[in-house]
Amino acid sequence: MLAPIHAAVPEPASATVRPCPQLRGRAFNLSWGRLDQLVAGTPAETRNEGSADILPFNDDEFSTPKHYRGKGLHKADAQDLARVARAHERMPSIEYVRVARSERYVPPQLSEDDAFEPGSLSGWLMVFDREGELVCAVRAQVESSESVNVNAPMRSRTRTEPGK
């Protein structure tokens, strides 16, 4: 089911806005990185480190079969198998796949002197039907807040006796 969608996802530079109709039906949410990993086998290490892959966007039930792939039944625990089964059961009722693809990512920065620089991400949210037909596409822009509260961890303190 995901191969035609993977093939149809445009590069961010060539994507165009297509208004979204009222969608009625169940959908999976996948980041481009997760979709690429599931279909093309792109290693997770290369897509996550410093990338703009929107991991929290991924559908939990659907994304977990990647942990099972290649383990073999003897290495899969009961939780792995249960998640694969739930994802498989959901497949017939899924009508759409929503894909989030980042175009530009600036991670937030916290310097050693606790100065904070907010981060931002821009890209696309695209919706495909099961056959890989693009239903709609919208530009997305998110930014972190201008400030954060940072609480330093409690450091262990050693007591010294007076005069020592």
Side-chain angles (χ1 to χ4, degrees):
M1 172 182 157
L2 294 176
I5 294 164
H6 181 264
V9 174
E11 290 294 324
S14 63
T16 57
V17 172
R18 178 182 270 183
C20 288
Q22 179 77 25
L23 298 176
R24 299 193 191 281
R26 297 182 73 184
F28 275 129
N29 296 320
L30 292 171
S31 65
W32 166 250
R34 180 63 49 78
L35 177 62
D36 195 41
Q37 181 186 21
L38 289 168
V39 175
T42 305
E45 311 82 65
T46 60
R47 70 180 174 83
N48 288 336
E49 188 134 347
S51 78
D53 192 11
I54 308 163
L55 293 176
F57 184 75
N58 292 312
D59 184 290
D60 289 338
E61 293 297 342
F62 187 66
S63 64
T64 50
K66 76 176 181 63
H67 299 295
Y68 171 72
R69 181 187 289 184
K71 280 185 178 180
L73 288 175
H74 64 288
K75 292 182 181 176
D77 63 24
Q79 187 176 18
D80 288 334
L81 295 175
R83 286 180 168 171
V84 170
R86 284 195 304 268
H88 187 267
E89 288 168 6
R90 290 179 65 198
M91 293 302 278
S93 66
I94 298 303
E95 295 180 43
Y96 304 102
V97 175
R98 290 184 285 241
V99 179
R101 184 157 193 183
S102 60
E103 187 173 31
R104 182 174 179 271
Y105 175 58
V106 177
Q109 300 288 325
L110 186 62
S111 67
E112 289 182 19
D113 63 350
D114 292 338
F116 178 71
E117 290 292 324
S120 64
L121 184 140
S122 60
W124 291 87
L125 179 60
M126 297 168 266
V127 179
F128 295 87
D129 66 17
R130 288 179 64 101
E131 288 73 43
E133 184 71 30
L134 181 65
V135 175
C136 64
V138 295
R139 286 187 97 6
Q141 172 75 32
V142 293
E143 297 175 356
S144 59
S145 63
E146 292 291 321
S147 63
V148 295
N149 292 327
V150 179
N151 294 322
M154 295 294 290
R155 292 190 174 96
S156 63
R157 296 185 177 122
T158 56
R159 293 183 179 215
T160 59
E161 295 179 28
K164 290 193 175 182

